[in-house]
Amino acid sequence: MKAGNNMKIAGKTMYVFVLLTITMVMRLAGNTSSGLVMTVGDSSVLTCPLKGNMTMLTWKIMPKAGGPCTLVYRVDTNVTHRTTCSDNINWTFRAGLPPALEIRQVGTAQEGNYSCEAATTEGNFVTRYHLTVLAPPRLSLSCDEQGSPVCEAAAGKPPAQLSWVPEGSSTAEEKCHDNGTVTVLSKFTACSTSVTNVTTCMVSHPAGNWSQTIACCPSEKTNTNIFLYACIITCVLIIITLLAVIYYFSLHSDRPCHKTKPPEIAPVHSQQDDTMEVEPYTTYVQKENVIYNSVSDLTVGQNLPQDQCPGT
C-alpha cells in the first residue's frame, strides 16, 4: 500500500514539474495567451508585446464563423498586406508603438482566436487572444390572450436566464439562430385568474441584468370560451345519457308484443239475397198446396155418391 501511494505522489510531482517547465519555456520564447471578452458593438485594440527592433509583424485570425484572416506588416518596405479580413478589422499605427490590431464595432462573427507573431532582433514573440463576444438580449414583456405574462429575451449570447417575481410556475423554451444567438421565451402561470396579476421579469446575462414589470388582467374571451366549452360538454353528456337509457330499455324489455286481432266483419246481405232465400220456401209451399188440393179433391171425390162423378 505504501509503495503504491509513493508511486502516485512521484507521478503527480513529475506532472507538476513538466507543467512548470513548459510554462518557463513559453515565457522565455515570448509566448503569452489571454482571454478577451467584448460586447456586440464595442471597439477594442489588440497589442503585440515584443523586445528589440521589429522586422515583421503578422496577425492570424481564426474566427468561429467564416474563413481565416491574415494581416502582415514589413518594416523594411513599410508595406501592409491582408487577406479575407472583414472591414471592421484593420491595422492601427501609433507613434512610438508597434502596429496594433483594431476591431471596430465587434460582432458575433469576429469571435475566435487571434494570434500575433512578431519577428525582432532579439527573437520571435507570439501573443494569443481568445475573443469572446457577448450579445445582450432584447427584453420584451407582454400579456397573451389568456392574460398570462410572457417574457422574451431575444437574440442573446449566451442564452439569458429568466426568473419571475413573485415566484411561480413558468414554462421556458429556447430558439437558436444561425448567428449563434439564442432567444429565450418564458410564460408565467398566474396563481389566480380573477384578479389583476402584477409580475416582474428578471433577466440575468453576462452582459448585464435587466427587469420589467407588467400587470395582466384575466381575458374575458378566455372566460367566454370556458363557458362555451362547458355547455358543449354538458349537451354531449345529456345526449349520451339519453341514448344509453334508450338502449338499456330496448335490451331489458321482456313483454312480448301482442298483435290485436282485427274485428270480424259480419257478412252483408243484400235484399236480393233475402229474396233468393225466400223463393225456394215459397215454391215449396206452393207445391205443398198443390198436393194438398189434389188430395182434398180426391177425398171429396171418394165421399160422393157413386152415380155422381166429380167434375160433371
Side-chain angles (χ1 to χ4, degrees):
M1 294 295 292
K2 291 183 178 180
N5 292 333
N6 292 335
M7 291 295 294
K8 291 181 179 179
I9 294 173
K12 291 181 179 180
T13 303
M14 182 62 67
Y15 178 72
V16 172
F17 177 76
V18 171
L19 289 179
L20 292 175
T21 302
I22 294 174
T23 303
M24 292 178 64
V25 170
M26 291 180 64
R27 288 183 177 179
L28 291 175
N31 295 337
T32 60
S33 179
S34 61
L36 179 63
V37 179
M38 297 178 63
T39 304
V40 171
D42 293 346
S43 298
S44 181
V45 175
L46 306 184
T47 60
C48 187
L50 51 86
K51 294 179 181 180
N53 296 325
M54 182 183 65
T55 58
M56 188 172 66
L57 184 64
T58 303
W59 278 95
K60 296 179 180 180
I61 304 171
M62 296 292 295
K64 287 185 176 180
C69 161
T70 303
L71 294 92
V72 181
Y73 172 69
R74 293 189 60 173
V75 178
D76 55 350
T77 58
N78 195 24
V79 174
T80 60
H81 178 72
R82 58 183 295 154
T83 59
T84 63
C85 296
S86 58
D87 296 336
N88 61 337
I89 297 177
N90 209 340
W91 290 105
T92 178
F93 296 92
R94 298 169 295 177
L97 296 175
L101 187 69
E102 182 181 16
I103 305 175
R104 299 184 303 272
Q105 296 183 350
V106 66
T108 56
Q110 279 75 55
E111 187 176 61
N113 296 318
Y114 291 70
S115 175
C116 170
E117 300 177 0
T120 69
T121 55
E122 296 187 10
N124 296 330
F125 298 87
V126 179
T127 303
R128 294 183 176 89
Y129 294 92
H130 177 73
L131 177 60
T132 300
V133 180
L134 303 178
R138 299 185 301 272
L139 176 60
S140 62
L141 187 60
S142 60
C143 302
D144 63 3
E145 295 180 354
Q146 287 73 32
S148 299
V150 178
C151 186
E152 182 183 54
K157 183 180 176 300
Q161 300 294 326
L162 303 183
S163 59
W164 293 92
V165 177
E167 294 182 356
S169 60
S170 61
T171 57
E173 59 180 12
E174 295 183 357
K175 180 180 180 181
C176 300
H177 305 286
D178 295 337
N179 59 355
T181 61
V182 180
T183 296
V184 182
L185 188 69
S186 178
K187 181 178 180 180
F188 181 80
T189 304
C191 298
S192 175
T193 58
S194 59
V195 296
T196 300
N197 298 307
V198 179
T199 53
T200 301
C201 178
M202 308 289 293
V203 179
S204 177
H205 192 267
N209 299 321
W210 303 271
S211 65
Q212 284 189 11
T213 302
I214 195 171
C216 295
C217 299
S219 175
E220 295 181 359
K221 182 179 179 180
T222 302
N223 297 333
T224 303
N225 291 338
I226 293 175
F227 177 76
L228 179 60
Y229 294 153
C231 292
I232 293 174
I233 293 174
T234 302
C235 293
V236 171
L237 291 177
I238 291 174
I239 293 173
I240 293 175
T241 303
L242 291 176
L243 292 176
V245 171
I246 294 172
Y247 182 73
Y248 175 81
F249 281 106
S250 65
L251 289 179
H252 295 78
S253 179
D254 295 329
R255 292 181 301 175
C257 296
H258 298 283
K259 294 183 178 180
T260 58
K261 187 176 181 179
E264 295 182 357
I265 301 175
V268 179
H269 299 281
S270 62
Q271 187 176 1
Q272 183 179 359
D273 295 337
D274 294 340
T275 305
M276 293 177 64
E277 292 179 357
V278 172
E279 285 181 353
Y281 178 76
T282 305
T283 306
Y284 175 77
V285 172
Q286 289 178 354
K287 290 181 178 181
E288 290 292 333
N289 291 334
V290 171
I291 296 172
Y292 180 77
N293 292 333
S294 300
V295 173
S296 298
D297 293 340
L298 180 61
T299 305
V300 173
Q302 291 178 357
N303 292 331
L304 290 178
Q306 293 181 356
D307 55 352
Q308 296 182 353
C309 297
T312 56

PDB file of all heavy atoms in Angstrom, residues 109-123:
ATOM      1  N   ALA A 109     -19.613  37.520 -35.424  1.00  0.00           N
ATOM      2  CA  ALA A 109     -18.807  36.857 -36.449  1.00  0.00           C
ATOM      3  C   ALA A 109     -17.310  36.996 -36.167  1.00  0.00           C
ATOM      4  O   ALA A 109     -16.511  36.219 -36.698  1.00  0.00           O
ATOM      5  CB  ALA A 109     -19.123  37.432 -37.828  1.00  0.00           C
ATOM      6  N   GLN A 110     -16.904  37.955 -35.346  1.00  0.00           N
ATOM      7  CA  GLN A 110     -15.484  38.161 -35.045  1.00  0.00           C
ATOM      8  C   GLN A 110     -15.008  37.318 -33.861  1.00  0.00           C
ATOM      9  O   GLN A 110     -13.841  37.381 -33.466  1.00  0.00           O
ATOM     10  CB  GLN A 110     -15.201  39.640 -34.749  1.00  0.00           C
ATOM     11  CG  GLN A 110     -15.055  40.493 -35.990  1.00  0.00           C
ATOM     12  CD  GLN A 110     -16.390  40.761 -36.650  1.00  0.00           C
ATOM     13  OE1 GLN A 110     -17.318  41.259 -36.016  1.00  0.00           O
ATOM     14  NE2 GLN A 110     -16.480  40.444 -37.931  1.00  0.00           N
ATOM     15  N   GLU A 111     -15.864  36.522 -33.268  1.00  0.00           N
ATOM     16  CA  GLU A 111     -15.450  35.690 -32.146  1.00  0.00           C
ATOM     17  C   GLU A 111     -14.529  34.579 -32.632  1.00  0.00           C
ATOM     18  O   GLU A 111     -14.785  33.940 -33.649  1.00  0.00           O
ATOM     19  CB  GLU A 111     -16.676  35.103 -31.457  1.00  0.00           C
ATOM     20  CG  GLU A 111     -16.355  34.355 -30.180  1.00  0.00           C
ATOM     21  CD  GLU A 111     -17.612  33.879 -29.477  1.00  0.00           C
ATOM     22  OE1 GLU A 111     -18.341  33.083 -30.091  1.00  0.00           O
ATOM     23  OE2 GLU A 111     -17.849  34.299 -28.334  1.00  0.00           O
ATOM     24  N   GLY A 112     -13.425  34.359 -31.894  1.00  0.00           N
ATOM     25  CA  GLY A 112     -12.488  33.311 -32.284  1.00  0.00           C
ATOM     26  C   GLY A 112     -11.112  33.541 -31.694  1.00  0.00           C
ATOM     27  O   GLY A 112     -10.953  34.213 -30.666  1.00  0.00           O
ATOM     28  N   ASN A 113     -10.088  32.964 -32.337  1.00  0.00           N
ATOM     29  CA  ASN A 113      -8.701  33.038 -31.852  1.00  0.00           C
ATOM     30  C   ASN A 113      -7.897  34.031 -32.690  1.00  0.00           C
ATOM     31  O   ASN A 113      -7.956  34.008 -33.928  1.00  0.00           O
ATOM     32  CB  ASN A 113      -8.054  31.656 -31.916  1.00  0.00           C
ATOM     33  CG  ASN A 113      -8.732  30.660 -30.991  1.00  0.00           C
ATOM     34  OD1 ASN A 113      -9.074  30.992 -29.856  1.00  0.00           O
ATOM     35  ND2 ASN A 113      -8.928  29.441 -31.478  1.00  0.00           N
ATOM     36  N   TYR A 114      -7.116  34.878 -31.993  1.00  0.00           N
ATOM     37  CA  TYR A 114      -6.264  35.887 -32.622  1.00  0.00           C
ATOM     38  C   TYR A 114      -4.818  35.623 -32.187  1.00  0.00           C
ATOM     39  O   TYR A 114      -4.539  35.504 -30.991  1.00  0.00           O
ATOM     40  CB  TYR A 114      -6.682  37.293 -32.213  1.00  0.00           C
ATOM     41  CG  TYR A 114      -8.038  37.721 -32.771  1.00  0.00           C
ATOM     42  CD1 TYR A 114      -9.215  37.152 -32.307  1.00  0.00           C
ATOM     43  CD2 TYR A 114      -8.120  38.697 -33.755  1.00  0.00           C
ATOM     44  CE1 TYR A 114     -10.451  37.528 -32.825  1.00  0.00           C
ATOM     45  CE2 TYR A 114      -9.354  39.090 -34.277  1.00  0.00           C
ATOM     46  CZ  TYR A 114     -10.503  38.493 -33.805  1.00  0.00           C
ATOM     47  OH  TYR A 114     -11.719  38.883 -34.324  1.00  0.00           O
ATOM     48  N   SER A 115      -3.927  35.529 -33.165  1.00  0.00           N
ATOM     49  CA  SER A 115      -2.525  35.221 -32.883  1.00  0.00           C
ATOM     50  C   SER A 115      -1.624  36.284 -33.520  1.00  0.00           C
ATOM     51  O   SER A 115      -1.759  36.585 -34.718  1.00  0.00           O
ATOM     52  CB  SER A 115      -2.165  33.836 -33.428  1.00  0.00           C
ATOM     53  OG  SER A 115      -0.801  33.575 -33.260  1.00  0.00           O
ATOM     54  N   CYS A 116      -0.713  36.837 -32.702  1.00  0.00           N
ATOM     55  CA  CYS A 116       0.234  37.844 -33.190  1.00  0.00           C
ATOM     56  C   CYS A 116       1.640  37.246 -33.158  1.00  0.00           C
ATOM     57  O   CYS A 116       2.101  36.779 -32.101  1.00  0.00           O
ATOM     58  CB  CYS A 116       0.175  39.100 -32.307  1.00  0.00           C
ATOM     59  SG  CYS A 116       1.492  40.276 -32.636  1.00  0.00           S
ATOM     60  N   GLU A 117       2.327  37.252 -34.293  1.00  0.00           N
ATOM     61  CA  GLU A 117       3.691  36.726 -34.394  1.00  0.00           C
ATOM     62  C   GLU A 117       4.612  37.871 -34.813  1.00  0.00           C
ATOM     63  O   GLU A 117       4.479  38.419 -35.910  1.00  0.00           O
ATOM     64  CB  GLU A 117       3.751  35.591 -35.422  1.00  0.00           C
ATOM     65  CG  GLU A 117       2.852  34.419 -35.082  1.00  0.00           C
ATOM     66  CD  GLU A 117       2.861  33.347 -36.141  1.00  0.00           C
ATOM     67  OE1 GLU A 117       3.593  33.533 -37.158  1.00  0.00           O
ATOM     68  OE2 GLU A 117       2.154  32.325 -35.995  1.00  0.00           O
ATOM     69  N   ALA A 118       5.554  38.221 -33.905  1.00  0.00           N
ATOM     70  CA  ALA A 118       6.477  39.343 -34.147  1.00  0.00           C
ATOM     71  C   ALA A 118       7.897  38.816 -34.277  1.00  0.00           C
ATOM     72  O   ALA A 118       8.376  38.059 -33.412  1.00  0.00           O
ATOM     73  CB  ALA A 118       6.392  40.348 -33.010  1.00  0.00           C
ATOM     74  N   ALA A 119       8.544  39.221 -35.355  1.00  0.00           N
ATOM     75  CA  ALA A 119       9.945  38.865 -35.571  1.00  0.00           C
ATOM     76  C   ALA A 119      10.806  40.091 -35.253  1.00  0.00           C
ATOM     77  O   ALA A 119      10.633  41.151 -35.850  1.00  0.00           O
ATOM     78  CB  ALA A 119      10.161  38.413 -37.016  1.00  0.00           C
ATOM     79  N   THR A 120      11.733  39.948 -34.287  1.00  0.00           N
ATOM     80  CA  THR A 120      12.588  41.053 -33.852  1.00  0.00           C
ATOM     81  C   THR A 120      14.044  40.623 -33.862  1.00  0.00           C
ATOM     82  O   THR A 120      14.379  39.449 -34.099  1.00  0.00           O
ATOM     83  CB  THR A 120      12.189  41.521 -32.440  1.00  0.00           C
ATOM     84  OG1 THR A 120      12.532  40.487 -31.497  1.00  0.00           O
ATOM     85  CG2 THR A 120      10.701  41.816 -32.374  1.00  0.00           C
ATOM     86  N   THR A 121      14.891  41.572 -33.541  1.00  0.00           N
ATOM     87  CA  THR A 121      16.323  41.270 -33.486  1.00  0.00           C
ATOM     88  C   THR A 121      16.661  40.402 -32.283  1.00  0.00           C
ATOM     89  O   THR A 121      17.730  39.787 -32.249  1.00  0.00           O
ATOM     90  CB  THR A 121      17.112  42.580 -33.414  1.00  0.00           C
ATOM     91  OG1 THR A 121      16.644  43.358 -32.291  1.00  0.00           O
ATOM     92  CG2 THR A 121      16.952  43.379 -34.705  1.00  0.00           C
ATOM     93  N   GLU A 122      15.778  40.315 -31.300  1.00  0.00           N
ATOM     94  CA  GLU A 122      16.029  39.509 -30.106  1.00  0.00           C
ATOM     95  C   GLU A 122      15.253  38.189 -30.108  1.00  0.00           C
ATOM     96  O   GLU A 122      15.272  37.457 -29.123  1.00  0.00           O
ATOM     97  CB  GLU A 122      15.690  40.303 -28.845  1.00  0.00           C
ATOM     98  CG  GLU A 122      16.584  41.531 -28.665  1.00  0.00           C
ATOM     99  CD  GLU A 122      16.354  42.196 -27.331  1.00  0.00           C
ATOM    100  OE1 GLU A 122      15.641  41.589 -26.471  1.00  0.00           O
ATOM    101  OE2 GLU A 122      16.866  43.305 -27.132  1.00  0.00           O
ATOM    102  N   GLY A 123      14.577  37.897 -31.162  1.00  0.00           N
ATOM    103  CA  GLY A 123      13.858  36.629 -31.243  1.00  0.00           C
ATOM    104  C   GLY A 123      12.439  36.800 -31.750  1.00  0.00           C
ATOM    105  O   GLY A 123      12.023  37.900 -32.157  1.00  0.00           O
TER     106      GLY A 123
END
